[in-house]
Amino acid sequence: GAGVSQSPSNKVTEKGKDVELRCDPISGHTALYWYRQSLGQGLEFLIYFQGNSAPDKSGLPSDRFSAERTGGSVSTLTIQRTQQEDSAVYLCASSRLAGYNEQFFGPGTRLTVL
Amino acid sequence: GENVEQHPSTLSVQEGDSAVIKCTYSDSASNYFPWYKQELGKGPQLIIDIRSNVGEKKDQRIAVTLNKTAKHFSLHITETQPEDSAVYFCAAPGYSTLTFGKGTMLLVSP
């Protein structure tokens, strides 16, 4: 079946511009996660959506970052006024249930801020 | 919150050798420890996990061991093959999701 998809696969933008990254989770998965992966670093948690509950935004690094999940399915991560330090691979994952269960990752969006 | 330390950061082995990657965690209440493999240009993929009611779990050439007293767990890969070359991440439960280690780049030379 279809896995988690993300678009675009690559995004190059200029400093100060806004960007939107999209994630399509596996159908029926109630939990959705966004992570950031910088070169040589692990996976940094950004935000977590679970069903209709309020999202856990505790990992967002600044108020320039926001995310929404419409209809319990597709999610968009928005970065406003991008900075060079935002350059990274942004990974989305979904899981069938909440809690500590297998997370299925998308291929990521590589963001480069010039 | 949970703190996960992973070692080594890079591991080079010859094909056929064994590889061991170790992780430590800080929260003694943690009870779920997955390992993910990330190939170049792809997202991480779960390869094996262990829950705290067992000390070891095997799946063909890979195994994970857990020492709750010492708060560490390890990934063991036997008879390594070039296709095992990838970045491996351990993880432990964080506040609402998993806390990942910084990863180990495994290089298997033919």
Side-chain angles (χ1 to χ4, degrees):
Chain A
V4 177
S5 61
Q6 293 186 244
S7 60
S9 55
N10 282 283
K11 177 71 176 179
V12 180
T13 191
E14 294 180 346
K15 177 182 175 181
K17 295 288 182 66
D18 297 351
V19 295
E20 286 189 351
L21 313 180
R22 177 186 168 106
C23 172
D24 284 83
I26 293 173
S27 178
H29 280 196
T30 62
L32 186 147
Y33 315 81
W34 282 98
Y35 295 90
R36 180 168 68 177
Q37 185 174 30
S38 303
L39 188 63
Q41 298 297 309
L43 301 171
E44 176 188 5
F45 165 70
L46 297 177
I47 188 168
Y48 160 58
F49 296 89
Q50 170 52 40
N52 296 320
S53 302
D56 176 359
K57 305 179 181 180
S58 60
L60 294 179
S62 78
D63 59 8
R64 296 186 296 105
F65 288 72
S66 63
E68 62 178 19
R69 187 179 185 191
T70 55
S73 181
V74 172
S75 178
T76 302
L77 177 69
T78 301
I79 309 174
Q80 296 179 308
R81 305 181 301 282
T82 52
Q83 304 294 313
Q84 289 183 332
E85 59 263 30
D86 299 334
S87 296
V89 175
Y90 290 82
L91 291 161
C92 173
S94 69
S95 63
R96 188 170 61 87
L97 299 172
Y100 306 119
N101 296 282
E102 180 175 3
Q103 295 184 19
F104 294 82
F105 283 82
T109 294
R110 180 175 296 278
L111 175 66
T112 303
V113 182
L114 302 176
Chain B
E2 180 67 274
N3 184 43
V4 177
E5 299 284 339
Q6 182 172 348
H7 299 280
S9 56
T10 305
L11 180 59
S12 294
V13 300
Q14 291 290 121
E15 183 176 0
D17 288 350
S18 295
V20 180
I21 303 170
K22 299 181 178 181
C23 287
T24 60
Y25 60 97
S26 59
D27 186 352
S28 58
S30 292
N31 59 4
Y32 173 65
F33 306 93
W35 286 89
Y36 284 78
K37 175 183 180 181
Q38 185 176 27
E39 297 177 340
L40 194 62
K42 298 183 179 180
Q45 182 177 13
L46 180 73
I47 56 171
I48 194 168
D49 58 15
I50 190 169
R51 297 190 186 266
S52 59
N53 57 340
V54 297
E56 184 177 9
K57 183 177 180 180
K58 290 183 179 180
D59 183 3
Q60 299 181 17
R61 294 186 298 106
I62 61 174
V64 57
T65 59
L66 171 64
N67 183 327
K68 290 183 61 180
T69 302
K71 292 190 285 188
H72 67 69
F73 56 111
S74 300
L75 177 70
H76 304 253
I77 306 174
T78 59
E79 301 172 26
T80 54
Q81 301 168 3
E83 52 265 37
D84 294 330
S85 295
V87 178
Y88 292 81
F89 293 96
C90 63
Y95 174 64
S96 58
T97 183
L98 297 171
T99 298
F100 287 85
K102 291 191 181 300
T104 296
M105 179 176 291
L106 174 63
L107 302 171
V108 182
S109 302

